[in-house]
Amino acid sequence: MSRSSTSRSSTHGMSRRGILKAASGAALTGTVGGLATVAAGGSAQAAPAVFTHPGMMNAFGELNRAKVRVAAGNDPWLAGWNRLTANAHAQSGWKARPQATVIRGGTGENYGTLYNDIHAAYQNALRWKIGGTGAHGDTARDILNAWSATLTTVTGNADRFLAAGIYGWQFAQAAELMRGYSGFDLDRFRRMMVNVFYPLNNQFLNQHNDACITNYWANWDLCNMASIMAIGILDDDGAKYDQAVNYFKNGAGNGAVQKAIPFLHNDQGLAQWQESGRDQGHTMMGMGQMGAICEMAWSQGDDLYGYDGNRFMKAAQYVAKYNLGQDVPFTKYTWGSGQNCAYNEHTAVSSASRGQTRPVWDMLHYHYARRRGLSVPYITAMAELGRAEGGGGDYGSTSGGFDQLGFGTLLYAK
């Protein structure tokens, strides 16, 4: 697949939506709490004055709803819980295999060790948060502590930027769930994220591996944006959070929303995804990566889901409709590749990997159809086909099956 730090205080139960409402609808740009930052590729954007914790993919409301519904034996939450508890990664006997150096791309690849341990930490953290079992909390804590005591380098060929992005934001999710857990060394984990993952995330968004700005597909930008946003929330770091939000809106590369979704087909309520002419596996990956950014921002009071006239919703509808076996419009997409921006084009939507199952749809369905009350029939139909969603380990053993954290039925059903 080629192609400035400010510390904030944190609180439980207070989101930026509440802060802004109390401020009588103050503008989303400018300063909040006395800070305005200008991040790479964007204009000034104010981070939350107070960060909400837990405040990434799994906010307090979603976790509490799952806990109550599972305890009551209600579906679809119970079906989602059963997918979680059946997963080999979600067992309290999981033992971490931390590495000092993780390599993705080139000689000596070992990154599978990292993504398997991340998903084990996340799934055990969910079992503790929802089921209350201390053995699972201890397992999640021990995995996180083992890696933060060991990992110093993520490297490899250009794919090192994918590793730093995907595994950066996913690792931070598990740590956010374990915040405050007895014996969890949050400070050491934060240092690992800032010293090992963030430099690669930041380097990629600013330099794109010295390639033509359009060389890398949208997912490369998106996973690195997601990692920076997650690190910002984990660290109560307004500047990093701002950097991710600003890049989403105004970034130079293909992950910025108007480049990831280059063409609107408003007469059909659809929008074309940047990788739609490439294949459907990476296109669905994009639904998960952009969805992660939008969900994290939503937890902090920023509506990126609805940004630019629900642009992401229209793209998800487009991707879902095509993968349901129906026709979609396609506008010729052109881009420059390599260091010299050699000309390339896609003239038709790709059928490669069409109809693939990935656990990305329930989060999108429950946001647009339930939180927002919007009609998203194609997203809804895709979600229904994949329910109850599993997670890493349920969709094959290769890296593509671990690009999403999953369990959307358990976590987002309303």
Side-chain angles (χ1 to χ4, degrees):
M1 189 158 97
S2 68
R3 266 303 237 171
S4 47
S5 178
T6 301
S7 179
R8 308 295 186 91
S9 60
S10 62
T11 187
H12 293 274
M14 181 181 293
S15 72
R16 189 176 178 221
R17 285 188 294 278
I19 294 167
L20 291 179
K21 184 176 180 181
S24 300
L28 292 180
T29 58
T31 61
V32 172
L35 173 72
T37 64
V38 179
S43 57
Q45 169 73 26
V50 180
F51 280 92
T52 299
H53 296 297
M56 294 192 206
M57 299 284 287
N58 311 124
F60 174 79
E62 281 69 36
L63 291 166
N64 189 61
R65 182 187 302 110
K67 181 176 183 177
V68 170
R69 293 295 192 172
V70 168
N74 299 148
D75 278 328
W77 299 270
L78 183 60
W81 174 254
N82 289 337
R83 286 299 304 268
L84 172 64
T85 59
N87 193 304
H89 293 72
Q91 308 311 311
S92 60
W94 189 278
K95 300 299 182 185
R97 294 187 298 156
Q99 309 292 312
T101 300
V102 166
I103 303 168
R104 177 165 179 169
T107 303
E109 284 190 324
N110 63 349
Y111 67 103
T113 301
L114 176 59
Y115 68 66
N116 276 284
D117 277 1
I118 289 172
H119 284 254
Y122 178 72
Q123 292 178 27
N124 274 278
L126 285 179
R127 291 194 67 172
W128 170 63
K129 278 288 191 181
I130 296 169
T133 47
H136 295 287
D138 288 351
T139 297
R141 174 200 63 202
D142 293 347
I143 295 169
L144 298 175
N145 282 347
W147 277 92
S148 69
T150 307
L151 181 64
T152 60
T153 306
V154 173
T155 189
N157 61 20
D159 286 359
R160 69 189 184 278
F161 295 112
L162 286 175
I166 297 168
Y167 311 134
W169 74 258
Q170 292 181 350
F171 226 165
Q173 307 300 316
E176 178 77 352
L177 290 176
M178 298 307 296
R179 181 185 293 269
Y181 192 88
S182 177
F184 173 44
D185 195 336
L186 176 60
D187 288 341
R188 189 176 70 196
F189 192 91
R190 284 167 156 173
R191 288 194 296 272
M192 178 189 70
M193 298 304 297
V194 169
N195 295 331
V196 178
F197 290 89
Y198 177 75
L200 287 169
N201 305 147
N202 186 57
Q203 181 185 347
F204 186 80
L205 293 187
N206 282 285
Q207 300 174 23
H208 287 89
N209 204 29
D210 297 323
C212 179
I213 192 63
T214 56
N215 180 73
Y216 288 94
W217 302 98
N219 276 314
W220 290 67
D221 271 1
L222 288 169
C223 66
N224 282 285
M225 293 154 59
S227 182
I228 291 173
M229 178 176 281
I231 293 168
I233 296 169
L234 189 70
D235 282 8
D236 298 296
D237 186 332
K240 289 184 176 64
Y241 180 88
D242 286 346
Q243 181 181 2
V245 172
N246 285 326
Y247 201 99
F248 179 93
K249 295 179 178 180
N250 304 303
N254 282 324
V257 65
Q258 292 184 357
K259 298 179 180 72
I261 307 167
F263 304 116
L264 298 175
H265 302 284
N266 279 325
D267 59 326
Q268 300 183 48
L270 305 174
Q272 188 171 314
W273 186 255
Q274 188 252 350
E275 298 193 50
S276 290
R278 182 191 181 198
D279 66 64
Q280 297 309 305
H282 287 100
T283 296
M284 286 201 192
M285 178 185 175
M287 300 301 97
Q289 301 298 312
M290 186 168 280
I293 293 168
C294 292
E295 186 65 23
M296 286 190 282
W298 182 266
S299 293
Q300 298 301 330
D302 285 315
D303 186 9
L304 299 185
Y305 275 118
Y307 183 74
D308 195 20
N310 286 317
R311 197 178 188 99
F312 180 43
M313 181 191 79
K314 295 172 186 176
Q317 280 276 89
Y318 179 99
V319 174
K321 183 176 183 180
Y322 184 69
N323 282 278
L324 287 165
Q326 301 183 45
D327 294 334
V328 294
F330 191 88
T331 300
K332 183 170 75 171
Y333 176 72
T334 65
W335 74 96
S337 64
Q339 291 184 313
N340 299 317
C341 292
Y343 179 84
N344 301 268
E345 65 178 33
H346 285 151
T347 58
V349 64
S350 172
S351 62
S353 304
R354 191 178 188 182
Q356 185 181 97
T357 300
R358 285 196 181 222
V360 301
W361 295 105
D362 255 345
M363 182 176 70
L364 304 184
H365 161 72
Y366 284 112
H367 175 78
Y368 288 116
R370 297 299 177 88
R371 280 178 181 156
R372 299 296 308 282
L374 300 173
S375 176
V376 285
Y378 306 116
I379 294 172
T380 297
M382 282 295 289
E384 289 171 348
L385 285 175
R387 199 170 290 152
E389 286 181 352
D394 290 323
Y395 299 89
S397 61
T398 59
S399 61
F402 293 81
D403 286 342
Q404 301 78 215
L405 290 172
F407 302 106
T409 310
L410 169 65
L411 295 166
Y412 303 110
K414 294 175 179 59

